[in-house]
Amino acid sequence: MENAPQPPGQTPSERLSELNRAILESALDCIITMDADGLVREFNPAAERVFGYRREDVIGQELASLIIPPVLRERHRQGLAKYLETGEGPVLGRRIEIAAVRADGTEILVELAITPLQVSGRPTFTAYLRDITERVRTERRRVAQYSVASLLAGPSSLREIGPQILQTIAASGDWVFGAIWVKRELDAALKCAATWRSEADGLAEFEEVTRATSLIGSKGLPGRVLASEDAVWVPDVANDPAFVRASAAQVANLHGAFAFPLCGEGGPIGVLELFSHSTVHPDEDLLQLVEALGSQIGLFIHRRQMQKELQRQKEAAEAANAAKDQFLANLSHELRTPLTPVLIWAGAMAGDEMLSADMRDGMQMVCRNVELEARLIDDLLDLTRITRGKLQLNLRNADAHELLRHAVEIVRSDIETRNLTLHVAFEATNGSLTVDPPRLQQVFWNVLRNAAKFTPARGSIAVRTFNRTPATFNVEVADTGIGIEPQHLEKIFDAFEQVGSRGEGLGLGLAISKAVVEMHGGSIRALSPGAGKGATFAIELAAM
Ligand code: ADP
């Protein structure tokens, strides 16, 4: 390799130091050299930029008093003395992260590596530093944002996660106390919903005062933030006449405060405040952090408030429903009781030979109508028993065919009056069931009565039983009547549901039948090809 031409008159050592200077000047990292007395020997341009000192002002000065934060200075001096005495330096030759201080007094975070060198028999230390303040802050912000977001995504209430949220945000500075305030919907007063305090002494009382305080309008720091919809810095709350809790803050030695709005969907609904022992100044970094968090926490509070409101409405609706059921139960009972003596008396009179035929016909008409009314009320009573879980089955063995036969007999006169044809086919070989016989007969009768009611004159009704499997007893009641639209096939089993028809009845028969069949472990469903095309009701029960 060709030797580079040397400028005339330069010795090799002059040449070396010029090279050194070029390296120092072009380096991106701060390079600071300190001698064994702790004095600055070199301070490159990058160090000048980061620390705000001029090289000529710091050469020969004690490094400790320039760039090392006051609280670390003594440790630094002792470390140097120990190294000179023993040759041991735990921070040497390693990469460490540490606080440093700039000429204007602001603190920064640096990554630092120190290399000791012997120069003319004495140790010299070269420090390579890099300002990592921004990187660390961004990282901290990211961690805080992530931690708060994962807290907000959980199922917990603000009361439960509030302290953790406050602690996470407080970790971004020297904050020792924090509180979350939420606007009460009732009177728009701000009430404290969560607090967090550090281990520092004297904060419990301030916490108590904060929790007991309620602020109306733009009063106090939270009120001011809510009204302005903007973050507020207070250098010293203890001496701020507008700060409601000033005397408590004085006792707790709290001075600096920072508060920002928490925004829900319709604007700010709360405030988060932080306090420190020292006075504070606006910090752009913290502002950036809370900008996103403010709306995340606000939306969370908004969501929880909505859920609470929905829950309240649900409970109110359930209470109203229970009151309605209770009312129906009482009403049905009160209506039913007076009918019994009327029926007994009218029944006896209807058969009294001493009375004229007209009179007896009249009594029969009274009986029929009172019976009808009694049946409607019985349905209502059954329904209220079902909804209140009070319907009980008295199970015993019974022949399902027998029950069905009785039900057919009860509706037979209806069928005949309407000129309907009835086909009965009992094909099931196993009709022995464990059931509540009167209840099951009531189900069969409901379905048969509907078939008769919804089938026009000269139509037909077919009743068939079979065992779909050896373990089931199946009944099908098919009619050629008005049929059911597909969209109503399920709805007709709801209480008070009557589709298109306004015949006698309350729309309870099928609701009661479904509940009774299901209490037996069976099923009932309606099938129909559509309006005017007849309907089939299929019941399946467990056979023995
Ligand atoms: P109700 O007969 O007292 O109205 P139900 O609960 O027994 O009450 O029946 C509910 C509704 O289901 C009836 O109003 C009617 O619209 C429909 N429905 C029941 N059975 C039939 C049927 N066989 N054919 C057509 N529609 C029916």
Side-chain angles (χ1 to χ4, degrees):
M1 205 171 82
E2 230 179 282
N3 278 344
Q6 293 199 1
Q10 245 193 353
T11 66
S13 103
E14 279 170 341
R15 168 93 184 119
L16 197 61
S17 89
E18 195 175 290
L19 251 175
N20 258 337
R21 177 126 312 282
I23 291 170
L24 281 173
E25 282 182 5
S26 61
L28 289 176
D29 284 350
C30 308
I31 303 176
I32 301 172
T33 309
M34 180 187 85
D35 65 17
D37 297 322
L39 306 179
V40 178
R41 285 289 150 226
E42 189 49 77
F43 205 82
N44 77 338
E48 287 182 316
R49 278 196 300 276
V50 168
F51 289 97
Y53 287 111
R54 285 191 318 181
R55 181 174 184 273
E56 55 266 40
D57 295 335
V58 295
I59 297 291
Q61 301 280 327
E62 192 207 17
L63 180 73
S65 50
L66 291 170
I67 67 160
I68 296 180
V71 288
L72 299 176
R73 274 178 205 162
E74 221 20 67
R75 229 166 75 195
H76 163 83
R77 289 181 188 124
Q78 283 166 8
L80 175 60
K82 184 152 183 230
Y83 177 77
L84 295 176
E85 203 186 304
T86 64
E88 282 171 28
V91 298
L92 300 179
R94 290 196 300 126
R95 202 184 282 259
I96 56 170
E97 285 181 11
I98 194 163
V101 62
R102 305 177 66 241
D104 63 7
T106 51
E107 270 200 12
I108 56 170
L109 263 175
V110 293
E111 191 180 73
L112 163 73
I114 307 172
T115 316
L117 252 183
Q118 294 291 327
V119 176
S120 319
R122 296 213 70 202
T124 309
F125 305 89
T126 305
Y128 297 86
L129 301 106
R130 184 175 297 171
D131 181 358
I132 55 166
T133 316
E134 194 47 45
R135 196 191 78 201
V136 170
R137 277 192 182 161
T138 310
E139 181 63 9
R140 253 192 223 160
R141 216 161 42 210
R142 214 177 52 78
V143 168
Q145 238 151 13
Y146 177 77
S147 319
V148 172
S150 53
L151 283 170
L152 296 177
S156 312
S157 68
L158 178 65
R159 202 167 292 280
E160 287 160 335
I161 59 168
Q164 284 163 276
I165 291 179
L166 287 163
Q167 186 177 13
T168 307
I169 303 176
S172 64
D174 301 328
W175 309 107
V176 293
F177 182 86
I180 294 176
W181 297 74
V182 176
K183 189 162 73 174
R184 205 161 49 187
E185 286 199 34
L186 185 70
D187 53 3
L190 273 168
K191 286 288 297 173
C192 175
T195 53
W196 164 83
R197 62 184 159 89
S198 74
E199 303 282 297
D201 286 339
L203 294 172
E205 198 185 321
F206 185 75
E207 182 175 43
E208 221 169 279
V209 173
T210 299
R211 284 187 169 274
T213 304
S214 158
L215 300 164
I216 305 274
S218 60
K219 261 193 108 189
L221 174 60
R224 210 173 118 198
V225 172
L226 201 75
S228 67
E229 301 188 15
D230 215 349
V232 169
W233 300 86
V234 185
D236 189 359
V237 282
N239 294 306
D240 183 348
F243 187 67
V244 177
R245 293 160 284 159
S247 57
Q250 228 151 26
V251 175
N253 188 29
L254 291 177
H255 296 282
F258 168 62
F260 61 95
L262 307 173
C263 294
E265 255 158 31
I269 53 169
V271 172
L272 191 152
E273 57 175 14
L274 296 165
F275 295 87
S276 80
H277 286 315
S278 49
T279 56
V280 294
H281 304 283
D283 170 356
E284 191 49 41
D285 192 52
L286 184 57
L287 274 178
Q288 272 183 29
L289 169 67
V290 303
E291 204 169 305
L293 290 182
S295 58
Q296 278 174 23
I297 302 171
L299 287 172
F300 170 84
I301 295 174
H302 184 76
R303 255 196 334 264
R304 286 288 183 273
Q305 282 177 343
M306 303 267 286
Q307 281 166 353
K308 236 181 176 170
E309 177 57 19
L310 278 178
Q311 181 64 20
R312 199 192 59 71
Q313 285 178 5
K314 188 168 160 250
E315 280 166 11
E318 278 168 3
N321 227 352
K324 183 206 75 188
D325 287 346
Q326 182 63 44
F327 170 75
L328 269 182
N330 292 346
L331 179 74
S332 326
H333 185 75
E334 293 304 316
L335 290 176
R336 181 70 173 85
T337 314
L339 295 185
T340 312
V342 175
L343 262 181
I344 294 171
W345 183 81
M349 297 300 270
D352 192 340
E353 299 288 331
M354 311 274 282
L355 295 178
S356 68
D358 272 2
M359 204 55 167
R360 287 206 302 270
D361 280 354
M363 280 307 156
Q364 261 162 14
M365 188 268 291
V366 170
C367 280
R368 272 199 310 279
N369 282 295
V370 175
E371 260 168 17
L372 181 65
E373 191 153 352
R375 224 163 43 222
L376 291 178
I377 298 172
D378 284 346
D379 275 359
L380 262 182
L381 271 169
D382 279 350
L383 182 82
T384 57
R385 282 193 198 108
I386 288 166
T387 50
R388 297 157 83 210
K390 294 242 165 85
L391 188 79
Q392 297 213 328
L393 297 183
N394 289 320
L395 296 179
R396 53 197 160 86
N397 285 347
D399 178 1
H401 283 144
E402 195 64 25
L403 301 175
L404 200 48
R405 213 169 277 127
H406 280 144
V408 170
E409 281 321 306
I410 300 172
V411 290
R412 191 176 290 279
S413 65
D414 280 359
I415 292 174
E416 281 165 6
T417 319
R418 303 175 69 99
N419 270 329
L420 303 174
T421 318
L422 177 70
H423 305 278
V424 178
F426 289 171
E427 293 167 11
T429 48
N430 185 1
S432 176
L433 310 181
T434 304
V435 293
D436 183 323
R439 287 288 173 199
L440 194 59
Q441 185 174 312
Q442 182 187 5
V443 171
F444 292 154
W445 171 68
N446 267 333
V447 174
L448 280 163
R449 187 185 53 156
N450 279 345
K453 193 160 78 176
F454 297 111
T455 306
R458 283 177 290 283
S460 69
I461 298 174
V463 181
R464 181 169 88 97
T465 71
F466 58 99
N467 300 110
R468 190 178 59 80
T469 73
T472 64
F473 178 82
N474 299 72
V475 184
E476 271 180 12
V477 177
D479 62 52
T480 57
I482 62 167
I484 304 163
E485 303 273 12
Q487 68 270 28
H488 297 140
L489 286 172
E490 302 240 342
K491 242 172 50 181
I492 54 173
F493 290 99
D494 294 342
F496 303 109
E497 210 46 77
Q498 290 180 308
V499 181
S501 73
R502 282 285 166 265
E504 71 172 38
L506 292 172
L508 295 181
L510 287 180
I512 293 168
S513 299
K514 184 167 196 268
V516 169
V517 169
E518 285 176 356
M519 280 175 81
H520 279 87
S523 67
I524 176 168
R525 57 201 183 98
L527 307 152
S528 171
K533 296 188 178 149
T536 300
F537 282 79
I539 299 169
E540 180 164 292
L541 295 159
M544 286 205 298

